[in-house]
Amino acid sequence: MIQFRNVTKVYPNGLCALSNVNFTIANGEFVFIVGASGAGKTTLIKLLLKEIEPTSGSIIVDDVDLSSLKRKEIPYYRRKLGVVFQDFRLLPDRTAYENVAFAMEIVGASPKEIRRRVPAVLSMVGLGSKAHAYPHQLSGGEQQRVALARALVNNPSILIADEPTGNLDPVTAMEIMKIINLINRRGTTVIMATHAKSIVNAMRKRVLQFRKGVLIKDEQEGGYFDEP
Amino acid sequence: MIQFRNVTKVYPNGLCALSNVNFTIANGEFVFIVGASGAGKTTLIKLLLKEIEPTSGSIIVDDVDLSSLKRKEIPYYRRKLGVVFQDFRLLPDRTAYENVAFAMEIVGASPKEIRRRVPAVLSMVGLGSKAHAYPHQLSGGEQQRVALARALVNNPSILIADEPTGNLDPVTAMEIMKIINLINRRGTTVIMATHAKSIVNAMRKRVLQFRKGVLIKDEQEGGYFDEP
Amino acid sequence: MNLRSWRFFVYHGFQNILRNRVMSLASVTAIMVALIVLGLILVIVVNLDVMMKEVESKMEITLFLKDGVTDSERSSLEKEISSWQGVYDVEFISRHQALEEWKRQLGDKGSLLDGYTGENNPLPDSFLVKIEKPEYVNTIVEKAKEIPAIEEVNYSSKVAEFIEWLARTIRLVGMGLVAVLAGVAAIIISNTVRLTVYSRRREIGIMKYIGATDWFIRWPFIIEGLILGVMGSVIATGVVALGYKFLLDRSSYINMRWGYLGIFRLLPLNEVMLYVLEASLLVGACVGVLASCLSIRKHLRV
Amino acid sequence: MNLRSWRFFVYHGFQNILRNRVMSLASVTAIMVALIVLGLILVIVVNLDVMMKEVESKMEITLFLKDGVTDSERSSLEKEISSWQGVYDVEFISRHQALEEWKRQLGDKGSLLDGYTGENNPLPDSFLVKIEKPEYVNTIVEKAKEIPAIEEVNYSSKVAEFIEWLARTIRLVGMGLVAVLAGVAAIIISNTVRLTVYSRRREIGIMKYIGATDWFIRWPFIIEGLILGVMGSVIATGVVALGYKFLLDRSSYINMRWGYLGIFRLLPLNEVMLYVLEASLLVGACVGVLASCLSIRKHLRV
Ligand SMILES: Nc1ncnc2c1ncn2[C@@H]1O[C@H](COP(=O)(O)OP(=O)(O)OP(=O)(O)O)[C@@H](O)[C@H]1O
Ligand SMILES: Nc1ncnc2c1ncn2[C@@H]1O[C@H](COP(=O)(O)OP(=O)(O)OP(=O)(O)O)[C@@H](O)[C@H]1O
Ligand SMILES: [Mg+2]
Ligand SMILES: [Mg+2]
């Protein structure tokens, strides 16, 4: 369960990226975070990842207040989350395979397990043939899918995806959404920030819409609402 | 005028990203480059920018064969092009303003001209208020718009944009497309790689569609054709 | 930390080096350069040290005789001393000669000594003993001290004192220089590693965001630092050894010209190089590891 | 390249430094450290050089007299020489004394000279002239040579020869060390700049892709290298100067102990530091610029 309680984030330069945000996401839910460019979607995800701290308010994940997490506990908390970053954040000097394997090495998986699971996840996102390419040898969409594979490989209990289809053509995007939906059906909570109106409208899931840091809509089975 | 003549690009690892591509783009045209992820769109743009060399075939821009360009002439050739890169390529240690101003400094614009033009272009892409933020302080869509502003600031005769709306919500994306369309009406050739089906279908411009490096469709007033 | 993790760290330590060849090469070069200088200084100091000790001990020894030693005793003593191993000349200097010499040394003020003549002469008779090789000095001094007719053994002089001081100074300055250079090496290496880490701060950030623990991130860097340090020190020792070998091969000429002074004798290769290898391995490894540790710390705060 | 471009380059050179503080600090430290070592060596060599020259020249001079110089001529000559500036002692050594001394030096083989006695003695009479300060040596030698009664002027000896050799060796080794360290500094600085450039290869790439000419990209880096080099050398000179000042302030104790040997006299601060400043500015600036040039070249090939 994820809870945002009166969360406000003001960046050091005085910009208020989120103001007084409240919501609760139950385990196993599928939630779209939408909003115009600069609305605060990525900020919300960074807060959830404890990459940045809220200026006020508290964020509670599985009954733990993130602000009470000790430095040492943070890595273990993050392992619960699988994250697809908007800027991918792949290790530039490792191949697609190694990038995904690295996420498993971190949690201490055995080499055997790694050899079994990594190729499976890579071919799930349609990159079976590109396993040994370095990020700079991959197209934008391919990099994005490597990021997704890395997020999924450890079977996280929460999948957070920031614009995971931004660099994908509609067909590939739909395939990716099918995978994410499948993951969600197996019990993983999914939080996905996106601009893809067609996807949001097609999936009919819960939608949290932001405008300039304010949560303006929280709708079950919602659609993408174009602001004036 | 831009001409691709039997252009083939095989990457050093043996991957054929473009095979035997032929097309001609007249001055002042507006062309969408579409295709699935990994179809070769970015490769095409990199070739046009002389960032990479074709394996065979020739690329002719304004009657000059790119392969005949001397090292010294390349920068001057590139100044004719305004490019929005898929990965933005902003200078991380300069503000939005400075990134755009830098493109003008390169061509030797006067400080006065720079002070006049940069804020105008930034507010055109809707970033007037974010002029003094560094790239890491900007959201994904904002960075993309800085990249667009930089591409436009020198009034290039050819605008090349790789996925310029990938990180933008539909409303902002439409505004950006209006700007690009306006630029095109003023006589600038526009070449835009994109996945945004709705935009392609709405604009009714010439569409070049690629599949695995092969040009499979070249249609005036075309639409986005979902492959099976 | 189980074995698998360690294999992982070592593997990635090496992989880091191979993947970032430019950086690694730069680091190794910096370490190597610093350690070459260190080695050079060490070689010079060790050699100078030994040389100076030789000069110091290659002194003439003066044996002062007791009063009332008879001429026959004297000449048998002279014969005995001459027969000792390492002695190549024994010269008798009578108290009268000694007085003359003293007067000469005093120059102007020689007249002060005019009061001393004949029986008045306060100086003792003495032998001036010249010694072949410095190794014998101590034995000879010991032996001489045991002879009852000998009052006192004196093997120092103003010049000897000065040379001693010079040796001490060179040793001191040399050691100081070595210390300074070790510091220099440390700064350079830590800078290099800091740059390496700095240039990978993005990577470090990524690792953190996908749930790597601090130590998991740290170890490969530390091992990388260790490897770089050890590589640098091995290469540096090799270079210094080659240079020294070259000098040794050439030293016959120098010895030909100045060998009779007996002080320019270079130590054998293996003797010197052991010091150098030890010192540079120690410095290289420690500094590599320390530099890594310090450098990562800052960038782990995310 | 007009004035505006230059202002732009210099501005961006400085801005690069300010924006990449970690890198710049690291670079300046590396340059500084290298130049401090360089300065240190320079200070030592310059001082040793002067010291050794002093020791060399602080010799006793022997003036050999012509045959047939009468006693009265001799004593008036002795008085004249004594009156020369810088002479503090003149001692007459008769040919007989000289022969005795020679015999003594030959030791065992002294008997070879037994054939020489009285009129047979092949040695000339001589004066042993002791000189206050080394500056006077040359003048005195010149003056002495002009006196008709003086056959020959001899101011060298085995010891003098050795000291001369030592001085030459130290000068040589010192110069070699300075050369090596200049090389070291060059390598370190070029490494540092290479790392800086390497870490900005993305930026360089971006500039190229938006149409910047090679020189437009190069200049700010070159100016950055220049600034870093100059900064490093100024700081290094400062540090060396401070250290040297400290030593100077302390040197009174050393002078007290060994001053009578007259060789441990440190050169005044400004005299030494001028060398150091010049050398380190030159090396710092040149290497900074060269390193930048070389480093950028590779990354401009895109
Ligand atoms: N480090 C920062 N310092 C200052 N302001 C920031 C920083 N990061 C983001 N911002 C600002 O906060 C606002 C919200 O940014 P955020 O990245 O959350 O937007 P977003 O909803 O993800 O937008 P997009 O869809 O374009 O990615 C933006 O206006 C942005 O400029
Ligand atoms: N440097 C490279 N070395 C090897 N293969 C490469 C390299 N760059 C791209 N490729 C491959 O070439 C193909 C075309 O890549 P390109 O970047 O042109 O695709 P794209 O059409 O832009 O895709 P996207 O929409 O995902 O950005 C991809 O399969 C990619 O993996
Ligand atoms: Mg975002
Ligand atoms: Mg692409």
Side-chain angles (χ1 to χ4, degrees):
Chain A
M1 198 187 65
I2 298 165
Q3 248 184 314
F4 270 56
R5 286 195 197 148
N6 304 315
V7 173
T8 295
K9 173 66 191 176
V10 180
Y11 280 111
N13 62 359
L15 195 136
C16 182
L18 285 180
S19 61
N20 204 31
V21 171
N22 282 287
F23 61 82
T24 304
I25 297 174
N27 285 341
E29 258 194 291
F30 192 130
V31 181
F32 284 115
I33 313 278
V34 301
S37 172
K41 304 179 294 296
T42 301
T43 302
L44 190 149
I45 287 172
K46 283 182 178 170
L47 284 170
L48 203 49
L49 200 65
K50 211 170 154 62
E51 183 177 335
I52 52 178
E53 297 295 321
T55 312
S56 67
S58 55
I59 301 164
I60 294 147
V61 178
D62 291 345
D63 298 325
V64 178
D65 188 326
L66 292 196
S67 65
S68 74
L69 274 183
K70 293 199 199 77
R71 226 184 112 61
K72 285 206 160 183
E73 296 167 341
I74 297 175
Y76 301 97
Y77 163 66
R78 285 183 181 152
R79 291 179 192 177
K80 274 203 274 201
L81 318 172
V83 188
V84 182
F85 298 92
Q86 192 170 10
D87 51 359
F88 315 154
R89 298 200 188 169
L90 300 176
L91 297 171
D93 63 350
R94 307 206 179 181
T95 62
Y97 182 96
E98 288 168 336
N99 263 286
V100 178
F102 187 69
M104 293 190 76
E105 284 163 352
I106 280 175
V107 299
S110 75
K112 210 169 131 193
E113 227 177 310
I114 293 176
R115 274 196 298 275
R116 194 183 55 77
R117 180 125 176 93
V118 175
V121 177
L122 276 175
S123 60
M124 186 165 84
V125 298
L127 281 181
S129 62
K130 295 268 157 77
H132 298 294
Y134 288 93
H136 75 268
Q137 296 175 328
L138 293 172
S139 79
E142 287 162 352
Q143 288 181 39
Q144 203 161 37
R145 281 177 282 164
V146 175
L148 178 64
R150 184 179 64 185
L152 293 178
V153 77
N154 284 331
N155 290 317
S157 62
I158 303 170
L159 175 68
I160 300 172
D162 197 353
E163 202 75 55
T165 59
N167 285 277
L168 298 177
D169 58 291
V171 177
T172 315
M174 262 308 161
E175 270 161 31
I176 291 299
M177 286 316 298
K178 271 185 210 143
I179 295 167
I180 293 179
N181 207 13
L182 191 78
I183 302 282
N184 173 244
R185 287 232 197 88
R186 288 192 197 147
T188 303
T189 311
V190 174
I191 298 173
M192 175 170 157
T194 190
H195 294 122
K197 188 176 170 180
S198 54
I199 291 176
V200 176
N201 288 338
M203 303 269 299
R204 291 281 129 198
K205 299 288 185 181
R206 181 175 171 195
V207 174
L208 297 179
Q209 187 151 359
F210 287 84
R211 183 199 289 158
K212 290 184 181 166
V214 181
L215 181 58
I216 55 163
K217 202 176 75 174
D218 180 351
E219 193 178 19
Q220 297 292 340
E221 301 197 12
Y224 195 108
F225 164 69
D226 276 341
E227 295 173 54
Chain B
M1 200 188 62
I2 299 166
Q3 247 185 315
F4 270 56
R5 284 196 198 148
N6 305 316
V7 173
T8 296
K9 173 66 190 177
V10 181
Y11 279 109
N13 62 359
L15 195 136
C16 182
L18 285 180
S19 61
N20 203 31
V21 172
N22 283 286
F23 61 81
T24 304
I25 297 174
N27 285 341
E29 257 192 294
F30 192 129
V31 180
F32 283 115
I33 313 277
V34 301
S37 172
K41 305 180 292 298
T42 301
T43 302
L44 190 149
I45 287 172
K46 283 181 178 170
L47 284 169
L48 203 49
L49 200 65
K50 211 170 152 63
E51 183 178 335
I52 52 177
E53 296 295 321
T55 311
S56 67
S58 55
I59 301 164
I60 293 146
V61 178
D62 291 345
D63 299 325
V64 178
D65 188 327
L66 291 196
S67 64
S68 74
L69 273 183
K70 292 199 199 79
R71 227 184 111 61
K72 284 205 161 184
E73 295 167 343
I74 297 175
Y76 300 97
Y77 163 66
R78 285 182 181 153
R79 291 179 192 177
K80 273 203 274 201
L81 317 173
V83 188
V84 182
F85 297 93
Q86 192 169 10
D87 52 359
F88 315 155
R89 300 199 187 169
L90 300 176
L91 296 171
D93 63 350
R94 306 205 179 181
T95 63
Y97 181 96
E98 287 167 339
N99 262 286
V100 177
F102 188 69
M104 292 190 76
E105 283 163 353
I106 280 176
V107 300
S110 76
K112 211 169 132 193
E113 226 177 312
I114 292 175
R115 274 196 299 276
R116 194 181 54 76
R117 180 125 175 92
V118 175
V121 176
L122 277 175
S123 60
M124 186 165 83
V125 298
L127 282 181
S129 63
K130 295 268 156 79
H132 298 294
Y134 287 93
H136 74 268
Q137 296 176 327
L138 293 171
S139 78
E142 287 161 353
Q143 289 180 40
Q144 202 160 38
R145 282 178 281 164
V146 175
L148 178 63
R150 184 178 63 186
L152 293 178
V153 76
N154 284 330
N155 288 316
S157 61
I158 304 171
L159 175 68
I160 300 172
D162 197 354
E163 202 75 55
T165 59
N167 285 278
L168 297 177
D169 58 290
V171 176
T172 315
M174 262 309 161
E175 269 161 32
I176 292 298
M177 286 316 299
K178 271 187 209 142
I179 295 167
I180 293 179
N181 206 12
L182 191 77
I183 302 281
N184 173 244
R185 288 235 195 87
R186 288 195 197 144
T188 302
T189 310
V190 174
I191 298 173
M192 176 171 157
T194 189
H195 294 121
K197 189 176 168 177
S198 54
I199 289 176
V200 176
N201 288 337
M203 303 266 303
R204 292 280 131 199
K205 299 287 185 182
R206 179 173 171 196
V207 175
L208 297 179
Q209 187 152 358
F210 287 85
R211 183 200 288 158
K212 291 182 180 166
V214 182
L215 181 57
I216 55 163
K217 202 178 75 173
D218 181 351
E219 193 178 18
Q220 296 292 339
E221 301 196 11
Y224 194 108
F225 165 69
D226 276 342
E227 295 173 54
Chain C
M1 293 289 155
N2 52 17
L3 189 70
R4 197 195 308 143
S5 297
W6 282 110
R7 270 179 43 200
F8 171 85
F9 296 147
V10 172
Y11 174 76
H12 279 287
F14 272 103
Q15 214 177 38
N16 276 350
I17 290 175
L18 288 178
R19 287 263 165 84
N20 294 277
R21 271 179 229 113
V22 180
M23 290 280 180
S24 301
L25 206 74
S27 302
V28 171
T29 315
I31 299 176
M32 189 195 70
V33 158
L35 291 179
I36 284 178
V37 175
L38 200 76
L40 232 68
I41 296 284
L42 256 179
V43 165
I44 293 173
V45 167
V46 168
N47 269 296
L48 263 189
D49 216 39
V50 172
M51 274 184 212
M52 280 305 167
K53 275 212 191 94
E54 279 190 25
V55 171
E56 251 176 63
S57 53
K58 201 182 187 68
M59 289 288 90
E60 294 164 333
I61 298 177
T62 308
L63 308 176
F64 295 106
L65 299 183
K66 284 205 176 117
D67 273 10
V69 172
T70 62
D71 276 12
S72 66
E73 274 175 331
R74 205 195 75 199
S75 56
S76 72
L77 200 55
E78 188 164 351
K79 268 201 195 111
E80 191 196 330
I81 295 172
S82 298
S83 73
W84 289 351
Q85 205 187 9
V87 172
Y88 83 84
D89 185 31
V90 180
E91 186 195 353
F92 176 69
I93 293 166
S94 74
R95 49 204 307 208
H96 306 294
Q97 277 172 309
L99 189 63
E100 281 299 305
E101 180 66 14
W102 193 14
K103 278 189 187 166
R104 236 196 66 190
Q105 276 180 6
L106 285 177
D108 260 3
K109 288 151 195 157
S111 54
L112 285 172
L113 300 177
D114 281 357
Y116 298 126
T117 45
E119 291 310 296
N120 250 341
N121 186 346
L123 298 179
D125 289 334
S126 62
F127 286 120
L128 189 66
V129 180
K130 290 180 184 172
I131 292 160
E132 267 170 24
K133 288 185 180 174
E135 293 96 282
Y136 299 122
V137 172
N138 282 335
T139 346
I140 291 169
V141 169
E142 287 315 309
K143 272 189 189 162
K145 277 181 176 161
E146 276 164 21
I147 292 171
I150 287 172
E151 171 105 31
E152 206 189 328
V153 178
N154 187 348
Y155 57 107
S156 90
S157 71
K158 194 138 277 184
V159 176
E161 254 175 52
F162 173 65
I163 290 183
E164 210 187 302
W165 174 81
L166 196 67
R168 220 172 36 233
T169 307
I170 290 180
R171 221 173 300 157
L172 221 82
V173 171
M175 284 308 162
L177 216 63
V178 167
V180 168
L181 275 164
V184 169
I187 293 176
I188 293 168
I189 296 171
S190 103
N191 265 344
T192 313
V193 179
R194 185 171 308 136
L195 289 181
T196 318
V197 173
Y198 179 81
S199 77
R200 297 207 213 143
R201 63 199 184 285
R202 239 184 81 89
E203 267 175 84
I204 295 178
I206 293 171
M207 290 184 200
K208 287 184 68 70
Y209 296 135
I210 61 174
T213 58
D214 290 355
W215 277 107
F216 193 90
I217 297 172
R218 248 176 230 145
W219 273 116
F221 281 104
I222 293 176
I223 289 169
E224 188 185 348
L226 181 72
I227 297 170
L228 292 178
V230 169
M231 266 166 68
S233 61
V234 169
I235 299 176
T237 308
V239 170
V240 174
L242 272 180
Y244 192 67
K245 178 120 188 7
F246 178 78
L247 197 70
L248 272 181
D249 293 347
R250 288 246 153 175
S251 68
S252 60
Y253 164 75
I254 303 169
N255 271 329
M256 217 174 61
R257 277 214 65 187
W258 300 104
Y260 68 87
L261 284 167
I263 63 145
F264 198 83
R265 199 181 313 124
L266 291 172
L267 294 172
L269 192 67
N270 54 348
E271 225 168 273
V272 178
M273 280 308 132
L274 216 70
Y275 281 105
V276 175
L277 186 67
E278 267 174 25
S280 74
L281 266 183
L282 198 77
V283 174
C286 285
V287 175
V289 169
L290 272 177
S292 296
C293 290
L294 289 176
S295 311
I296 318 162
R297 259 180 87 188
K298 209 187 114 197
H299 287 288
L300 277 179
R301 309 244 156 271
V302 185
Chain D
M1 293 287 153
N2 52 16
L3 189 70
R4 197 196 307 144
S5 298
W6 282 111
R7 271 179 43 198
F8 172 84
F9 295 146
V10 172
Y11 174 75
H12 279 287
F14 272 103
Q15 214 177 39
N16 276 350
I17 291 175
L18 288 178
R19 288 263 166 86
N20 294 277
R21 270 178 230 114
V22 181
M23 289 280 180
S24 301
L25 206 73
S27 303
V28 171
T29 315
I31 300 177
M32 190 194 71
V33 159
L35 292 179
I36 284 178
V37 175
L38 199 77
L40 232 67
I41 297 285
L42 256 180
V43 165
I44 293 173
V45 167
V46 167
N47 268 297
L48 263 189
D49 214 41
V50 172
M51 275 184 212
M52 281 305 167
K53 275 211 191 98
E54 279 190 26
V55 170
E56 250 177 62
S57 54
K58 199 181 189 67
M59 290 287 92
E60 294 164 335
I61 298 177
T62 308
L63 309 176
F64 294 105
L65 299 183
K66 285 202 175 117
D67 271 11
V69 172
T70 63
D71 276 14
S72 66
E73 274 176 331
R74 206 194 75 199
S75 57
S76 71
L77 201 54
E78 189 166 349
K79 266 197 199 116
E80 192 196 329
I81 295 173
S82 300
S83 73
W84 288 350
Q85 206 188 8
V87 172
Y88 84 84
D89 185 29
V90 180
E91 187 194 353
F92 176 69
I93 292 167
S94 72
R95 47 204 305 208
H96 307 294
Q97 278 171 308
L99 190 63
E100 280 299 306
E101 180 67 14
W102 194 12
K103 279 188 185 166
R104 238 197 63 191
Q105 277 179 5
L106 285 178
D108 260 4
K109 289 152 195 154
S111 54
L112 285 174
L113 300 178
D114 281 356
Y116 298 126
T117 45
E119 291 310 295
N120 250 342
N121 185 347
L123 300 179
D125 290 334
S126 62
F127 286 119
L128 190 66
V129 180
K130 290 181 182 170
I131 292 160
E132 268 171 22
K133 287 186 182 173
E135 293 97 284
Y136 298 123
V137 172
N138 282 336
T139 345
I140 290 170
V141 169
E142 289 314 309
K143 272 189 188 163
K145 276 181 178 160
E146 276 166 19
I147 292 173
I150 289 173
E151 171 104 32
E152 205 189 327
V153 177
N154 186 348
Y155 57 108
S156 91
S157 73
K158 192 138 277 183
V159 176
E161 252 175 53
F162 173 65
I163 289 183
E164 211 187 300
W165 173 80
L166 196 68
R168 220 173 34 234
T169 307
I170 289 181
R171 220 173 301 157
L172 220 82
V173 170
M175 283 307 162
L177 216 64
V178 166
V180 168
L181 275 164
V184 169
I187 292 176
I188 294 168
I189 297 171
S190 104
N191 265 344
T192 313
V193 179
R194 185 171 308 136
L195 289 181
T196 319
V197 173
Y198 179 81
S199 75
R200 296 208 214 143
R201 62 199 186 287
R202 240 184 81 88
E203 268 176 83
I204 295 178
I206 294 170
M207 289 184 200
K208 286 185 69 71
Y209 296 134
I210 61 174
T213 58
D214 289 356
W215 278 107
F216 193 90
I217 297 172
R218 248 177 229 145
W219 272 115
F221 280 104
I222 294 177
I223 289 169
E224 189 186 347
L226 181 72
I227 297 169
L228 292 178
V230 169
M231 266 165 67
S233 61
V234 168
I235 298 175
T237 308
V239 170
V240 173
L242 272 180
Y244 192 67
K245 180 124 187 6
F246 177 78
L247 196 70
L248 271 182
D249 292 348
R250 289 246 153 175
S251 69
S252 60
Y253 163 75
I254 303 168
N255 271 328
M256 218 174 61
R257 278 213 65 187
W258 298 106
Y260 67 89
L261 284 167
I263 64 143
F264 197 83
R265 199 182 312 123
L266 290 172
L267 295 172
L269 192 67
N270 53 348
E271 227 167 89
V272 179
M273 281 307 133
L274 217 69
Y275 281 106
V276 176
L277 186 67
E278 268 174 23
S280 72
L281 266 184
L282 198 77
V283 174
C286 285
V287 175
V289 168
L290 272 176
S292 295
C293 290
L294 289 176
S295 311
I296 317 162
R297 259 182 86 188
K298 209 187 114 196
H299 287 288
L300 276 179
R301 309 242 156 271
V302 185

